[in-house]
Amino acid sequence: DTAVSQTPKYLVTQMGNDKSIKCEQNLGHDTMYWYKQDSKKFLKIMFSYNNKELIINETVPNRFSPKSPDKAHLNLHINSLELGDSAVYFCASSRGGAGGGNEQFFGPGTRLTVL
Amino acid sequence: GEDVEQSLFLSVREGDSSVINCTYTDSSSTYLYWYKQEPGAGLQLLTYIFSNMDMKQDQRLTVLLNKKDKHLSLRIADTQTGDSAIYFCAESRGSSASKIIFGSGTRLSIRP
């Protein structure tokens, strides 16, 4: 069974549209994350939630809004998509916080292409 | 990553050892990690080391930490074609170590 799943795997859309990416983990973890990986493979954290509460919010445009309906789900909604939003978005989860030796389990990624 | 640096590429012959290096800047980092990303997949934790350790060995993997120089390395013995991937160094930060900062990744390719 997939531990961290994301949908969709691929997303191609026009500039200006609004889209959502969903993430679910069945590991019983308390903390979930969204990362953005650009074309050069540079990976940067965007958000982190612990038990549905936002604990990390990096310098990300307001067009990006995470939502955690419960601790097993962390969705990412993006308004008014721009060309620069094209990237692979990874969801991850961990038992506790990111540190403390807690392993982060990553989803397979969602490749977003904005035309 | 802005404060975690790695060289972008490494090419080794199959059967040789691979050494991937990483430097970081935050002396308060508590844990340092190596993650592996295979093509089209997410990252997988390979190993991690606590900041008060110098070395950790796990089968073919050896992690060396030089805290004074803020230098971390990953040695893969007897490199195989299945080791081809991008390897990310990462450090945990923050008072509760709540954030992980990733390096830019080193793409390891294996020559026959």
Side-chain angles (χ1 to χ4, degrees), chain B residues 65-110:
Chain B
L65 174 61
N66 181 330
K67 202 171 176 186
K68 177 174 161 288
D69 294 340
K70 300 191 190 70
H71 182 266
L72 182 75
S73 67
L74 173 70
R75 179 176 179 269
I76 306 172
D78 187 24
T79 310
Q80 305 296 309
T81 53
D83 295 325
S84 291
I86 300 176
Y87 291 81
F88 290 90
C89 167
E91 58 168 349
S92 62
R93 283 197 190 169
S95 55
S96 58
S98 60
K99 188 161 78 169
I100 288 187
I101 304 296
F102 284 87
S104 53
T106 299
R107 187 182 294 273
L108 176 63
S109 60
I110 316 302

Side-chain angles (χ1 to χ4, degrees), chain A residues 58-80:
Chain A
E58 290 297 288
T59 310
V60 176
N62 290 339
R63 298 182 294 105
F64 290 79
S65 51
K67 282 191 172 48
S68 182
D70 55 62
K71 74 174 195 176
H73 295 84
L74 181 62
N75 303 324
L76 184 65
H77 187 75
I78 316 170
N79 288 329
S80 304

Side-chain angles (χ1 to χ4, degrees), chain A residues 9 33 35 37 40-45 48 55-56 58 90 97-104 106-108, chain B residues 1-2 30-31 33 35 37 40-45 48 86 88 92 96-100 102-104 107:
Chain A
K9 193 167 169 60
Y33 313 81
Y35 288 89
Q37 187 175 46
K40 294 181 180 173
K41 302 298 183 185
F42 177 59
L43 191 72
K44 188 157 186 176
I45 189 162
S48 172
I55 55 171
I56 293 175
E58 290 297 288
F90 286 100
N102 288 317
E103 177 179 357
Q104 289 191 30
F106 281 76
Chain B
E2 53 268 36
T30 48
Y31 286 87
Y33 307 82
Y35 277 82
Q37 184 181 28
L43 279 70
Q44 266 187 300
L45 181 66
Y48 67 91
I86 300 176
F88 290 90
S92 62
S96 58
S98 60
K99 188 161 78 169
I100 288 187
F102 284 87
S104 53
R107 187 182 294 273

Side-chain angles (χ1 to χ4, degrees), chain A:
Chain A
D1 281 341
T2 307
V4 182
S5 58
Q6 297 178 227
T7 53
K9 193 167 169 60
Y10 299 97
L11 183 54
V12 181
T13 188
Q14 300 282 340
M15 248 176 23
N17 283 350
D18 303 338
K19 290 292 177 188
S20 291
I21 308 172
K22 295 187 176 181
C23 178
E24 176 181 0
Q25 53 95 4
N26 62 7
L27 298 165
H29 287 166
D30 291 328
T31 310
M32 295 184 73
Y33 313 81
W34 275 110
Y35 288 89
K36 179 180 179 181
Q37 187 175 46
D38 63 23
S39 57
K40 294 181 180 173
K41 302 298 183 185
F42 177 59
L43 191 72
K44 188 157 186 176
I45 189 162
M46 301 172 70
F47 302 103
S48 172
Y49 270 72
N50 181 273
N51 274 317
K52 302 196 299 174
E53 189 179 325
L54 182 66
I55 55 171
I56 293 175
N57 184 352
E58 290 297 288
T59 310
V60 176
N62 290 339
R63 298 182 294 105
F64 290 79
S65 51
K67 282 191 172 48
S68 182
D70 55 62
K71 74 174 195 176
H73 295 84
L74 181 62
N75 303 324
L76 184 65
H77 187 75
I78 316 170
N79 288 329
S80 304
L81 277 154
E82 299 177 358
L83 294 176
D85 297 332
S86 295
V88 181
Y89 292 84
F90 286 100
C91 176
S93 72
S94 65
R95 194 180 333 118
N102 288 317
E103 177 179 357
Q104 289 191 30
F105 290 79
F106 281 76
T110 296
R111 183 175 292 276
L112 171 65
T113 304
V114 182
L115 304 174

